Amino acid sequence: MLHALDRKLLRDLWRLKAQALAISLVLACGVAIFMTGLGMVRALEVTLEDYYNRQHFAHVFASARRAPASLLRDVEAIDGVQTAEARVVGSVVLDLPGRAAPASGRVISLPDTGPALNVPLLVSGRFPSETAGDEVVVTDRFASANGYRPGDRFAAIADGKRLILTITGTVRSPEFIYTLPPGGLMPDDAGYAIMWMPETAAAGVFGMSGAFNDLSLKLRRDANQQAVIDRIDSLLEPWGGVGAHVRELQMSHAFMQAELDQLRSMSAVLPPILFGVTAFLVNMVLGRIVTLERSEIGLLKALGYRDSEIAMHYLMLATLVAALGVCLGWASGAWLSSGMSQLYARFFDFPWLVQPHAIDVFAIAGLIGLASAAIGALRAAWSAAALAPAVAMSPPAPPAFRRGFLDAVSGWLGLPQTAMMVLRGIVRWPLRAAFTSLGLSLGVAILVASNFMLDSLDAVIDTSFFKSNRQHATLILAHEQPLSAVADARHLPGVLAVEPQFDLPVTLSVGPREKKLAISARPLGGDLARTLDVEENPVPLPEQGVLLSAKLAAYLGVRPGDMVRVTLSGLREGEMVLPVAAVTQQYIGIGAYMRLDALAALLGEAPRVTSLNLWIDPNELSELEAALKSMPALATTVMLTDVRKSFQDTISENVRINTVLFLTISALITVGVAYNGARIQLSERARELASLRILGFTRAEVSTILLGETAVLALIAQPLGWLIGGWIAWAMMAGFDSDLYRIPLVLTAQNFASASLVTLTAVTAAALLVRRRLDRADLIAVLKTRE
Amino acid sequence: MSSTRATQEIPAFRTRGITKIYGGRGTAEVRALDGVDLDLPEGELVVLLGPSGSGKSTLLNIIGGLDHATSGEAWFRDQELTSMSDRQLTRYRRDNVGFVFQFYNLVASLTARENVALVTDVAPDPMRPEEALALVGLQERQDHFPAQMSGGEQQRVAIARAIAKRPGVLLCDEPTGALDSKTGTAVLAALEDVNTRFGTTTLVITHNAGIRKMAHRVIRFQDGRVVEIEENKTRIRAHEVTW
């Protein structure tokens, strides 16, 4: 049986339904995003750990040019190494039936005894038989994207040799949860294959009998990782080792961690904003209700209700609003999580994904949601409990307005009385006005941050593809070749221009800081792949010295004019100290650049080439693609036009999702704050406004007074929102800053203008809803009722 | 008119030197009650008369447990109200006091029956809300909301709410102040009925001197003091009260 006080609670809630819903939706948004973030982070973490453990994902990875198989025993003997596995890995060009453009692939050997580390997980078919020379298993995603089944065949060109390979099965691998093709920015399931081949066959294809070029290690728990890496480096150095690295630098794993970091920062920024706005709205609305219900509170006290019962009554009102928000949040959070899971399934290749909506995630999100409403309700509940019963029985004294600075200014400006009413209202409750403006500004800020992301990615595309890497295609060669390869390439059909590039694996160091990477050497006056200065103007390659990307220079702590130590790795030995000539702008990866002839002179050899950048006549593209399929010594081709297109497609799809998400959040916050604010003013000013109507003011004039305060606060909120949005954008930029990629801080006037346009529209909509109430209200009746 | 009031040794209310001072510290000091001594026997209907600001409501607030005195003592039967904490005063109100206010103070979002249930939900030995409403002649209107009732009906709901807990005392602050004479008479009849039927000590503040003839005892206030106490030898019935 419901108590009378509970009935009052339910009827009050029903009376407040529009305001309650506005608050609930803001809270629901917070709960949904929080639980999606937390749920997905946990699901990904648990999935990764589980997957890595089951498939024995390695801790340390290394590669070399060609190391003798006997070296593996020395590796296994290193203190701290639990398991070591040597493999042969090589790149191939694929000629896939029904595909004009050459695809590329990576071949990985399967040890005869079966892999002990990075074990592929069979999805369909079987593993190749040890003795077979033409059997492979491929990633399930490659097979699905091309419609291949076990038994299907395709051609691969390795080192100019054409092989016909038969697919015996499809697999997944913990090494390739996220796979980027060489030079690619987005996964390319159809055009890039990872395939596993029996050891003997792979060694035959790549000329690696009795040798290996890839090493994976699993370490014991107590192992000293750095000591193991140092030892591996020294063991592999004579064999063209280019430096061992830890799991954190493994491509797929690094992308997973970047995704996790993004999820964590999403859960750290948005939900607190939404929970904070919820607390503010509850505080504002409940504060007003307590003021309105002074006499009822007094009555309840006179009837013998305890302070705690009365406080609980108002806390329960907030709790019910929050409960509605939490339930809506749970539902939309579950929906959002499964949407995210599907999105992840598209980009990441997991055999399974742990359910993101665990019961404790629901519980934590729900508790935080309830707590934020309760915190907002505390002040009002406390003031209800603290009202002295006798005082509560008489109406509140009119708020104490005083003449002050404002009056002097308005007298000077000649402001009308109606404007004074608006301004005095703001000055009289400065804290409420400040929080209202802050709340509205958060709606603006979220849109600014969301717009920033688009502008920033546009800038990344513009810089990376239209200013820096302008070539249509890059041919990556299987081996170093003499400069004559440029002339050979120029004879390929459709090729209008060719520029060589020589990538030399090195370790750059300054004091204790070092970075393993390749110096890219290019010819002077190259017009396809260009280096840009920090203002994004082309910067010529220096006669002497090296250009470093800004991120790399910052990591090494050098500025133009400083010296860096360059230690050669791979098959070359030696060390040199070079001056940093300039710092360059680059958003994808990190880089070091030199002039091709200058580097050759330092090495004391004739200039050599590892890749070729091409400018292509689009009309002859198909002839070129056909020719590339049979080009000897080609490791892989990168069609930059395709890379750019897939990057843009992915971005524009994410943009759609993001725009809907952030627009919703921003609109909910803005409408929630503006609507509740205006409703409270309507409630506070009802008698004043009724009096003005009787004095002959028109509806429009009365509305101006009512909505004037909201309008003034909304206008103040705009620059504040730009500022906060700019700060969030800056924080996002800092959060994205990794060796893999980074984004520029691009804040445009259009960004600010569109954010303001959207939020001001939302404020107007909320204000009109309240104005409709004012128009319908029987103002004469308002005057007759005793407040 | 025969009286059912009990003649007991201990009065329902006893005050000694009750003083209430508002303001001070910079603002002008207002002495709302200035050393009031009173003995109000159990079961009486007492009318408090006096101009606005004479201290009637302040006294009612203090003996109703709504406010604290600045000095002096107030007793309800054998309980000293002036030494009670807020929590004890809440308990006292919950168990013993029924209030009727000039503006009814009904909760707008609750029906007549639910407004009465507000009290019966927390009182130790209440009657059923329907029973209390029947006592004031509103059994037919119990599912109406305050906005659907006349002023007189609303005030009778307020009386039903006050008596539903079977209070030891009924404190009424201008119960007919907002009513016309016809509905006012009906409200007075309800109060008289409660006083007669249950022997509930009833204090009524009023500006309407006509009501004084209903009372066992009439107390006049002026400037925070009791200036006259008059006992009625003969009382008139509620319907005989003229406005």
Side-chain angles (χ1 to χ4, degrees), chain A residues 3-4 7-8 11-12 296 299 301-306 309 389-390 393 786, chain B residues 66 90 93-94 99 101 103 105 107-110 114 118-119 121-122 161 165:
Chain A
H3 283 223
R7 284 180 195 279
K8 172 180 179 302
R11 297 217 177 101
D12 286 349
E296 293 189 354
L299 169 81
K301 292 194 173 192
L303 295 180
Y305 280 85
R306 285 188 288 271
E309 289 171 308
M393 301 302 293
R786 173 176 168 273
Chain B
L66 290 175
T90 301
R93 294 197 300 268
R94 182 186 285 224
F99 285 100
F101 307 98
F103 291 105
N105 283 40
V107 175
S109 57
L110 297 179
E114 289 161 354
L118 269 180
V119 166
D121 282 345
V122 294
R161 185 175 63 188
K165 67 162 74 158

mmCIF file of all heavy atoms in Angstrom, chain A residues 3-4 7-8 11-12 296 299 301-306 309 389-390 393 786, chain B residues 66 90 93-94 99 101 103 105 107-110 114 118-119 121-122 161 165:
data_model
loop_
_atom_site.group_PDB
_atom_site.id
_atom_site.type_symbol
_atom_site.label_atom_id
_atom_site.label_comp_id
_atom_site.label_asym_id
_atom_site.label_seq_id
_atom_site.Cartn_x
_atom_site.Cartn_y
_atom_site.Cartn_z
ATOM 1 N N HIS A 3 2.091 4.895 0.645
ATOM 2 C CA HIS A 3 1.812 5.939 1.622
ATOM 3 C C HIS A 3 1.429 7.223 0.891
ATOM 4 O O HIS A 3 1.780 7.417 -0.265
ATOM 5 C CB HIS A 3 3.047 6.178 2.483
ATOM 6 C CG HIS A 3 3.217 5.120 3.511
ATOM 7 N ND1 HIS A 3 3.565 5.382 4.795
ATOM 8 C CD2 HIS A 3 3.050 3.795 3.432
ATOM 9 C CE1 HIS A 3 3.621 4.260 5.479
ATOM 10 N NE2 HIS A 3 3.327 3.271 4.662
ATOM 11 N N ALA A 4 0.728 8.097 1.629
ATOM 12 C CA ALA A 4 0.270 9.347 1.014
ATOM 13 C C ALA A 4 1.458 10.159 0.503
ATOM 14 O O ALA A 4 1.401 10.764 -0.566
ATOM 15 C CB ALA A 4 -0.537 10.145 2.024
ATOM 16 N N ARG A 7 2.543 8.885 -2.742
ATOM 17 C CA ARG A 7 1.655 9.324 -3.825
ATOM 18 C C ARG A 7 1.988 10.739 -4.250
ATOM 19 O O ARG A 7 2.001 11.057 -5.436
ATOM 20 C CB ARG A 7 0.196 9.282 -3.349
ATOM 21 C CG ARG A 7 -0.378 7.908 -3.301
ATOM 22 C CD ARG A 7 -1.813 7.957 -2.817
ATOM 23 N NE ARG A 7 -2.223 6.636 -2.435
ATOM 24 C CZ ARG A 7 -2.635 5.711 -3.312
ATOM 25 N NH1 ARG A 7 -2.714 6.016 -4.573
ATOM 26 N NH2 ARG A 7 -2.965 4.507 -2.896
ATOM 27 N N LYS A 8 2.267 11.582 -3.281
ATOM 28 C CA LYS A 8 2.649 12.967 -3.596
ATOM 29 C C LYS A 8 3.891 12.938 -4.482
ATOM 30 O O LYS A 8 3.980 13.650 -5.483
ATOM 31 C CB LYS A 8 2.931 13.736 -2.301
ATOM 32 C CG LYS A 8 3.526 15.119 -2.537
ATOM 33 C CD LYS A 8 3.783 15.841 -1.227
ATOM 34 C CE LYS A 8 4.407 17.216 -1.415
ATOM 35 N NZ LYS A 8 5.658 17.254 -2.127
ATOM 36 N N ARG A 11 2.976 11.921 -7.997
ATOM 37 C CA ARG A 11 2.226 12.957 -8.714
ATOM 38 C C ARG A 11 3.121 14.153 -9.015
ATOM 39 O O ARG A 11 3.017 14.760 -10.078
ATOM 40 C CB ARG A 11 1.009 13.387 -7.893
ATOM 41 C CG ARG A 11 0.050 12.236 -7.692
ATOM 42 C CD ARG A 11 -1.405 12.662 -7.725
ATOM 43 N NE ARG A 11 -2.241 11.473 -7.602
ATOM 44 C CZ ARG A 11 -2.822 11.107 -6.457
ATOM 45 N NH1 ARG A 11 -2.703 11.874 -5.386
ATOM 46 N NH2 ARG A 11 -3.534 10.007 -6.404
ATOM 47 N N ASP A 12 4.028 14.490 -8.069
ATOM 48 C CA ASP A 12 4.975 15.584 -8.329
ATOM 49 C C ASP A 12 5.821 15.246 -9.544
ATOM 50 O O ASP A 12 6.075 16.089 -10.403
ATOM 51 C CB ASP A 12 5.892 15.811 -7.120
ATOM 52 C CG ASP A 12 5.155 16.502 -5.982
ATOM 53 O OD1 ASP A 12 4.026 16.967 -6.221
ATOM 54 O OD2 ASP A 12 5.702 16.548 -4.866
ATOM 55 N N GLU A 296 4.060 23.409 2.259
ATOM 56 C CA GLU A 296 3.795 21.974 2.389
ATOM 57 C C GLU A 296 4.824 21.316 3.305
ATOM 58 O O GLU A 296 4.510 20.411 4.076
ATOM 59 C CB GLU A 296 3.783 21.311 1.013
ATOM 60 C CG GLU A 296 2.599 21.802 0.177
ATOM 61 C CD GLU A 296 2.394 21.036 -1.110
ATOM 62 O OE1 GLU A 296 3.252 20.182 -1.434
ATOM 63 O OE2 GLU A 296 1.393 21.292 -1.785
ATOM 64 N N LEU A 299 3.856 22.170 6.683
ATOM 65 C CA LEU A 299 2.705 21.351 7.057
ATOM 66 C C LEU A 299 3.167 19.957 7.497
ATOM 67 O O LEU A 299 2.761 19.451 8.550
ATOM 68 C CB LEU A 299 1.758 21.230 5.870
ATOM 69 C CG LEU A 299 0.684 20.194 6.077
ATOM 70 C CD1 LEU A 299 -0.434 20.771 6.907
ATOM 71 C CD2 LEU A 299 0.170 19.658 4.769
ATOM 72 N N LYS A 301 5.933 19.052 8.621
ATOM 73 C CA LYS A 301 6.614 19.130 9.912
ATOM 74 C C LYS A 301 5.605 19.291 11.031
ATOM 75 O O LYS A 301 5.719 18.686 12.095
ATOM 76 C CB LYS A 301 7.614 20.282 9.920
ATOM 77 C CG LYS A 301 8.764 20.011 8.984
ATOM 78 C CD LYS A 301 9.910 20.941 9.209
ATOM 79 C CE LYS A 301 11.068 20.473 8.350
ATOM 80 N NZ LYS A 301 12.310 21.129 8.696
ATOM 81 N N ALA A 302 4.591 20.128 10.782
ATOM 82 C CA ALA A 302 3.557 20.317 11.795
ATOM 83 C C ALA A 302 2.825 19.010 12.059
ATOM 84 O O ALA A 302 2.408 18.727 13.178
ATOM 85 C CB ALA A 302 2.579 21.392 11.336
ATOM 86 N N LEU A 303 2.689 18.212 11.005
ATOM 87 C CA LEU A 303 2.004 16.930 11.174
ATOM 88 C C LEU A 303 2.875 15.903 11.897
ATOM 89 O O LEU A 303 2.415 14.836 12.230
ATOM 90 C CB LEU A 303 1.607 16.357 9.808
ATOM 91 C CG LEU A 303 0.573 17.162 9.017
ATOM 92 C CD1 LEU A 303 0.276 16.475 7.704
ATOM 93 C CD2 LEU A 303 -0.695 17.358 9.821
ATOM 94 N N GLY A 304 4.132 16.226 12.086
ATOM 95 C CA GLY A 304 4.989 15.319 12.846
ATOM 96 C C GLY A 304 5.952 14.511 12.003
ATOM 97 O O GLY A 304 6.565 13.572 12.495
ATOM 98 N N TYR A 305 6.073 14.861 10.710
ATOM 99 C CA TYR A 305 7.083 14.166 9.899
ATOM 100 C C TYR A 305 8.459 14.613 10.327
ATOM 101 O O TYR A 305 8.685 15.792 10.621
ATOM 102 C CB TYR A 305 6.864 14.446 8.412
ATOM 103 C CG TYR A 305 5.767 13.594 7.818
ATOM 104 C CD1 TYR A 305 4.431 13.982 7.902
ATOM 105 C CD2 TYR A 305 6.063 12.385 7.198
ATOM 106 C CE1 TYR A 305 3.422 13.198 7.374
ATOM 107 C CE2 TYR A 305 5.053 11.589 6.670
ATOM 108 C CZ TYR A 305 3.735 12.001 6.760
ATOM 109 O OH TYR A 305 2.751 11.216 6.249
ATOM 110 N N ARG A 306 9.378 13.664 10.390
ATOM 111 C CA ARG A 306 10.737 13.995 10.823
ATOM 112 C C ARG A 306 11.496 14.671 9.688
ATOM 113 O O ARG A 306 11.202 14.474 8.518
ATOM 114 C CB ARG A 306 11.476 12.718 11.235
ATOM 115 C CG ARG A 306 11.047 12.176 12.575
ATOM 116 C CD ARG A 306 11.960 11.035 13.001
ATOM 117 N NE ARG A 306 11.713 9.841 12.212
ATOM 118 C CZ ARG A 306 10.808 8.911 12.535
ATOM 119 N NH1 ARG A 306 10.082 9.051 13.634
ATOM 120 N NH2 ARG A 306 10.633 7.858 11.786
ATOM 121 N N GLU A 309 12.672 12.296 7.159
ATOM 122 C CA GLU A 309 11.636 11.819 6.232
ATOM 123 C C GLU A 309 11.392 12.835 5.119
ATOM 124 O O GLU A 309 11.175 12.473 3.963
ATOM 125 C CB GLU A 309 10.331 11.552 6.994
ATOM 126 C CG GLU A 309 10.395 10.331 7.887
ATOM 127 C CD GLU A 309 9.174 10.204 8.807
ATOM 128 O OE1 GLU A 309 8.850 11.186 9.497
ATOM 129 O OE2 GLU A 309 8.580 9.128 8.817
ATOM 130 N N PRO A 389 9.835 24.711 11.145
ATOM 131 C CA PRO A 389 8.435 24.470 10.816
ATOM 132 C C PRO A 389 7.591 25.735 10.857
ATOM 133 O O PRO A 389 6.744 25.945 9.989
ATOM 134 C CB PRO A 389 7.983 23.469 11.870
ATOM 135 C CG PRO A 389 9.095 23.298 12.828
ATOM 136 C CD PRO A 389 10.327 23.844 12.205
ATOM 137 N N ALA A 390 7.827 26.623 11.816
ATOM 138 C CA ALA A 390 7.002 27.826 11.908
ATOM 139 C C ALA A 390 7.288 28.761 10.743
ATOM 140 O O ALA A 390 6.380 29.345 10.166
ATOM 141 C CB ALA A 390 7.254 28.530 13.228
ATOM 142 N N MET A 393 5.681 27.919 7.430
ATOM 143 C CA MET A 393 4.249 28.131 7.280
ATOM 144 C C MET A 393 3.911 29.493 6.683
ATOM 145 O O MET A 393 2.806 29.729 6.265
ATOM 146 C CB MET A 393 3.554 28.005 8.639
ATOM 147 C CG MET A 393 3.743 26.671 9.308
ATOM 148 S SD MET A 393 3.178 25.314 8.306
ATOM 149 C CE MET A 393 1.439 25.649 8.310
ATOM 150 N N ARG A 786 -2.207 31.853 -3.863
ATOM 151 C CA ARG A 786 -1.231 32.263 -2.883
ATOM 152 C C ARG A 786 -0.013 31.391 -3.122
ATOM 153 O O ARG A 786 -0.110 30.184 -3.232
ATOM 154 C CB ARG A 786 -1.819 31.989 -1.508
ATOM 155 C CG ARG A 786 -0.902 32.190 -0.365
ATOM 156 C CD ARG A 786 -1.711 31.970 0.893
ATOM 157 N NE ARG A 786 -0.842 31.873 2.040
ATOM 158 C CZ ARG A 786 -0.301 30.735 2.432
ATOM 159 N NH1 ARG A 786 -0.532 29.638 1.789
ATOM 160 N NH2 ARG A 786 0.462 30.716 3.520
ATOM 161 N N LEU B 66 6.070 24.053 17.171
ATOM 162 C CA LEU B 66 6.619 24.504 15.886
ATOM 163 C C LEU B 66 7.768 25.481 16.075
ATOM 164 O O LEU B 66 8.523 25.734 15.153
ATOM 165 C CB LEU B 66 5.526 25.196 15.059
ATOM 166 C CG LEU B 66 4.417 24.325 14.492
ATOM 167 C CD1 LEU B 66 3.366 25.193 13.804
ATOM 168 C CD2 LEU B 66 4.966 23.313 13.514
ATOM 169 N N THR B 90 9.196 17.040 17.240
ATOM 170 C CA THR B 90 8.583 16.343 16.110
ATOM 171 C C THR B 90 7.716 15.189 16.620
ATOM 172 O O THR B 90 6.579 14.994 16.201
ATOM 173 C CB THR B 90 9.672 15.807 15.168
ATOM 174 O OG1 THR B 90 10.450 16.898 14.708
ATOM 175 C CG2 THR B 90 9.068 15.084 13.982
ATOM 176 N N ARG B 93 4.584 16.529 18.195
ATOM 177 C CA ARG B 93 3.580 16.930 17.205
ATOM 178 C C ARG B 93 2.929 15.705 16.581
ATOM 179 O O ARG B 93 1.722 15.646 16.388
ATOM 180 C CB ARG B 93 4.228 17.775 16.093
ATOM 181 C CG ARG B 93 4.758 19.114 16.538
ATOM 182 C CD ARG B 93 4.997 20.020 15.340
ATOM 183 N NE ARG B 93 5.954 19.478 14.387
ATOM 184 C CZ ARG B 93 7.256 19.718 14.401
ATOM 185 N NH1 ARG B 93 7.773 20.504 15.342
ATOM 186 N NH2 ARG B 93 8.043 19.203 13.502
ATOM 187 N N ARG B 94 3.769 14.732 16.268
ATOM 188 C CA ARG B 94 3.273 13.538 15.597
ATOM 189 C C ARG B 94 2.239 12.822 16.466
ATOM 190 O O ARG B 94 1.225 12.345 15.979
ATOM 191 C CB ARG B 94 4.464 12.614 15.304
ATOM 192 C CG ARG B 94 4.098 11.355 14.569
ATOM 193 C CD ARG B 94 5.287 10.428 14.432
ATOM 194 N NE ARG B 94 6.222 10.894 13.432
ATOM 195 C CZ ARG B 94 6.803 10.111 12.522
ATOM 196 N NH1 ARG B 94 6.545 8.814 12.514
ATOM 197 N NH2 ARG B 94 7.652 10.583 11.661
ATOM 198 N N PHE B 99 -3.228 20.253 13.698
ATOM 199 C CA PHE B 99 -3.215 21.658 13.294
ATOM 200 C C PHE B 99 -4.271 21.921 12.235
ATOM 201 O O PHE B 99 -4.479 21.114 11.328
ATOM 202 C CB PHE B 99 -1.858 22.030 12.670
ATOM 203 C CG PHE B 99 -0.752 22.183 13.668
ATOM 204 C CD1 PHE B 99 0.169 21.153 13.872
ATOM 205 C CD2 PHE B 99 -0.599 23.357 14.391
ATOM 206 C CE1 PHE B 99 1.204 21.292 14.768
ATOM 207 C CE2 PHE B 99 0.442 23.498 15.293
ATOM 208 C CZ PHE B 99 1.344 22.457 15.484
ATOM 209 N N PHE B 101 -5.062 25.252 9.636
ATOM 210 C CA PHE B 101 -4.517 26.566 9.262
ATOM 211 C C PHE B 101 -5.535 27.386 8.496
ATOM 212 O O PHE B 101 -6.451 26.852 7.885
ATOM 213 C CB PHE B 101 -3.277 26.381 8.385
ATOM 214 C CG PHE B 101 -2.248 25.495 8.996
ATOM 215 C CD1 PHE B 101 -2.167 24.164 8.636
ATOM 216 C CD2 PHE B 101 -1.374 25.988 9.951
ATOM 217 C CE1 PHE B 101 -1.214 23.339 9.203
ATOM 218 C CE2 PHE B 101 -0.428 25.163 10.528
ATOM 219 C CZ PHE B 101 -0.347 23.833 10.150
ATOM 220 N N PHE B 103 -5.205 28.915 5.672
ATOM 221 C CA PHE B 103 -5.249 28.616 4.233
ATOM 222 C C PHE B 103 -5.217 27.115 3.982
ATOM 223 O O PHE B 103 -4.675 26.665 2.988
ATOM 224 C CB PHE B 103 -4.104 29.334 3.507
ATOM 225 C CG PHE B 103 -4.289 30.827 3.485
ATOM 226 C CD1 PHE B 103 -3.544 31.646 4.318
ATOM 227 C CD2 PHE B 103 -5.245 31.399 2.657
ATOM 228 C CE1 PHE B 103 -3.735 33.023 4.304
ATOM 229 C CE2 PHE B 103 -5.435 32.770 2.643
ATOM 230 C CZ PHE B 103 -4.688 33.594 3.463
ATOM 231 N N ASN B 105 -3.733 24.613 3.857
ATOM 232 C CA ASN B 105 -2.476 23.906 3.640
ATOM 233 C C ASN B 105 -2.669 22.440 3.269
ATOM 234 O O ASN B 105 -2.029 21.567 3.828
ATOM 235 C CB ASN B 105 -1.579 24.019 4.885
ATOM 236 C CG ASN B 105 -0.933 25.386 4.966
ATOM 237 O OD1 ASN B 105 -1.601 26.376 4.663
ATOM 238 N ND2 ASN B 105 0.318 25.443 5.324
ATOM 239 N N VAL B 107 -2.135 19.453 0.553
ATOM 240 C CA VAL B 107 -1.173 19.156 -0.515
ATOM 241 C C VAL B 107 -1.969 19.018 -1.804
ATOM 242 O O VAL B 107 -2.835 18.149 -1.922
ATOM 243 C CB VAL B 107 -0.381 17.881 -0.199
ATOM 244 C CG1 VAL B 107 0.526 17.514 -1.364
ATOM 245 C CG2 VAL B 107 0.430 18.082 1.069
ATOM 246 N N ALA B 108 -1.668 19.906 -2.761
ATOM 247 C CA ALA B 108 -2.510 20.006 -3.958
ATOM 248 C C ALA B 108 -2.515 18.716 -4.774
ATOM 249 O O ALA B 108 -3.486 18.402 -5.450
ATOM 250 C CB ALA B 108 -2.028 21.163 -4.819
ATOM 251 N N SER B 109 -1.424 17.974 -4.686
ATOM 252 C CA SER B 109 -1.340 16.789 -5.537
ATOM 253 C C SER B 109 -1.944 15.548 -4.879
ATOM 254 O O SER B 109 -1.827 14.458 -5.418
ATOM 255 C CB SER B 109 0.123 16.530 -5.904
ATOM 256 O OG SER B 109 0.889 16.382 -4.731
ATOM 257 N N LEU B 110 -2.564 15.712 -3.712
ATOM 258 C CA LEU B 110 -3.180 14.565 -3.049
ATOM 259 C C LEU B 110 -4.686 14.785 -2.906
ATOM 260 O O LEU B 110 -5.144 15.901 -2.692
ATOM 261 C CB LEU B 110 -2.558 14.344 -1.661
ATOM 262 C CG LEU B 110 -1.077 13.990 -1.632
ATOM 263 C CD1 LEU B 110 -0.594 13.814 -0.196
ATOM 264 C CD2 LEU B 110 -0.778 12.738 -2.438
ATOM 265 N N GLU B 114 -6.183 11.144 0.694
ATOM 266 C CA GLU B 114 -4.722 11.017 0.782
ATOM 267 C C GLU B 114 -4.128 12.100 1.677
ATOM 268 O O GLU B 114 -3.139 11.865 2.374
ATOM 269 C CB GLU B 114 -4.109 11.084 -0.615
ATOM 270 C CG GLU B 114 -4.396 9.827 -1.428
ATOM 271 C CD GLU B 114 -4.227 10.021 -2.930
ATOM 272 O OE1 GLU B 114 -3.997 11.180 -3.357
ATOM 273 O OE2 GLU B 114 -4.352 9.037 -3.663
ATOM 274 N N LEU B 118 -1.836 11.324 4.997
ATOM 275 C CA LEU B 118 -0.518 11.854 5.354
ATOM 276 C C LEU B 118 -0.307 11.737 6.857
ATOM 277 O O LEU B 118 0.800 11.470 7.327
ATOM 278 C CB LEU B 118 -0.430 13.331 4.973
ATOM 279 C CG LEU B 118 0.097 13.706 3.589
ATOM 280 C CD1 LEU B 118 0.087 15.213 3.457
ATOM 281 C CD2 LEU B 118 1.501 13.170 3.377
ATOM 282 N N VAL B 119 -1.389 11.958 7.611
ATOM 283 C CA VAL B 119 -1.317 11.897 9.071
ATOM 284 C C VAL B 119 -1.439 10.455 9.558
ATOM 285 O O VAL B 119 -0.659 9.998 10.399
ATOM 286 C CB VAL B 119 -2.429 12.761 9.682
ATOM 287 C CG1 VAL B 119 -2.590 12.458 11.162
ATOM 288 C CG2 VAL B 119 -2.120 14.228 9.466
ATOM 289 N N ASP B 121 -0.688 7.820 8.201
ATOM 290 C CA ASP B 121 0.501 7.016 7.879
ATOM 291 C C ASP B 121 1.529 7.056 8.999
ATOM 292 O O ASP B 121 2.308 6.113 9.156
ATOM 293 C CB ASP B 121 1.170 7.540 6.593
ATOM 294 C CG ASP B 121 0.432 7.091 5.340
ATOM 295 O OD1 ASP B 121 -0.389 6.165 5.451
ATOM 296 O OD2 ASP B 121 0.693 7.665 4.267
ATOM 297 N N VAL B 122 1.594 8.152 9.744
ATOM 298 C CA VAL B 122 2.681 8.281 10.722
ATOM 299 C C VAL B 122 2.196 8.330 12.175
ATOM 300 O O VAL B 122 3.017 8.302 13.091
ATOM 301 C CB VAL B 122 3.551 9.533 10.447
ATOM 302 C CG1 VAL B 122 4.284 9.395 9.132
ATOM 303 C CG2 VAL B 122 2.724 10.803 10.463
ATOM 304 N N ARG B 161 -8.051 15.920 8.708
ATOM 305 C CA ARG B 161 -6.644 15.538 8.776
ATOM 306 C C ARG B 161 -6.112 15.761 10.192
ATOM 307 O O ARG B 161 -5.319 14.986 10.710
ATOM 308 C CB ARG B 161 -5.849 16.380 7.775
ATOM 309 C CG ARG B 161 -4.403 15.993 7.657
ATOM 310 C CD ARG B 161 -3.720 16.786 6.575
ATOM 311 N NE ARG B 161 -3.716 18.213 6.895
ATOM 312 C CZ ARG B 161 -3.314 19.159 6.052
ATOM 313 N NH1 ARG B 161 -2.924 18.833 4.839
ATOM 314 N NH2 ARG B 161 -3.336 20.420 6.416
ATOM 315 N N LYS B 165 -5.659 11.621 13.760
ATOM 316 C CA LYS B 165 -4.678 10.947 14.622
ATOM 317 C C LYS B 165 -5.184 10.826 16.056
ATOM 318 O O LYS B 165 -4.486 10.300 16.897
ATOM 319 C CB LYS B 165 -3.351 11.716 14.578
ATOM 320 C CG LYS B 165 -3.415 13.090 15.202
ATOM 321 C CD LYS B 165 -2.044 13.637 15.526
ATOM 322 C CE LYS B 165 -1.311 14.085 14.273
ATOM 323 N NZ LYS B 165 -0.247 15.065 14.583
#
